[in-house]
Amino acid sequence: MKLTIRPLSYEDYDNTLVGWWKDWGWEMPPERDFLPQDGEAGAIVYDDTTPVCAAFLYNTNSKVAWITWVISNNRYKKRNKKKGLDLLVSTLETIAKNQGHKYVFTNNNHPALIKYFSKSGYSKGTTSTELVKRIN
């Protein structure tokens, strides 16, 4: 297993991520432009040539960056997936820090991801419901 990471490309959304969201039966972003930089502000991890996991990093006008839309390859070996997730999250945290952010926020409703982030030093906040409205 040789893990590598690279920035998300425009093609990753249609060629990889949409399929992953469908495989998991998860909600996906309503449209590509809902994502930061039209889906290119984030990273994807590979095990040699096999994509493992990806996430997006939103910048804010505060000291908070937001890691979200964390998704993985449903067909990838679970025992190695944690190493990929470790690389993904630590890389996005480093990017956020280098951009001047002091905090990283994440949200999700998947029990395994909640457990992962809790064990990685993230504090659990209040439970909320995500609501989205298109305004134009």
Side-chain angles (χ1 to χ4, degrees), residues 5-82:
I5 190 165
R6 67 164 173 77
L8 285 167
S9 71
Y10 189 82
E11 294 77 23
D12 289 326
Y13 181 83
D14 289 321
N15 295 342
T16 303
L17 304 180
V18 168
W20 286 356
W21 282 308
K22 288 179 181 177
D23 288 347
W24 282 104
W26 291 1
E27 284 293 318
M28 52 188 273
E31 295 181 40
R32 178 195 298 270
D33 63 3
F34 190 84
L35 297 167
Q37 296 176 2
D38 273 347
E40 294 184 69
I44 186 166
V45 173
Y46 280 82
D47 180 348
D48 293 321
T49 60
T50 303
V52 176
C53 56
F56 296 88
L57 183 67
Y58 285 86
N59 285 300
T60 69
N61 62 356
S62 69
K63 292 290 182 182
V64 179
W66 181 22
I67 296 174
T68 193
W69 297 105
V70 179
I71 189 71
S72 67
N73 182 343
N74 190 320
R75 296 177 180 98
Y76 184 75
K77 301 170 261 167
K78 289 187 179 186
R79 68 179 182 276
N80 294 331
K81 201 175 286 186
K82 183 186 178 305

Side-chain angles (χ1 to χ4, degrees), residues 88-130:
L88 177 65
V89 171
S90 67
T91 299
L92 293 177
E93 289 172 347
T94 298
I95 291 169
K97 184 176 181 179
N98 291 341
Q99 292 172 340
H101 296 288
K102 186 176 179 181
Y103 309 98
V104 178
F105 171 83
T106 189
N107 68 306
N108 64 73
N109 60 5
H110 190 275
L113 282 173
I114 292 169
K115 183 177 178 180
Y116 171 82
F117 280 104
S118 294
K119 286 185 172 185
S120 298
Y122 285 70
S123 301
K124 198 178 249 187
T126 58
T127 303
S128 64
T129 300
E130 298 166 359

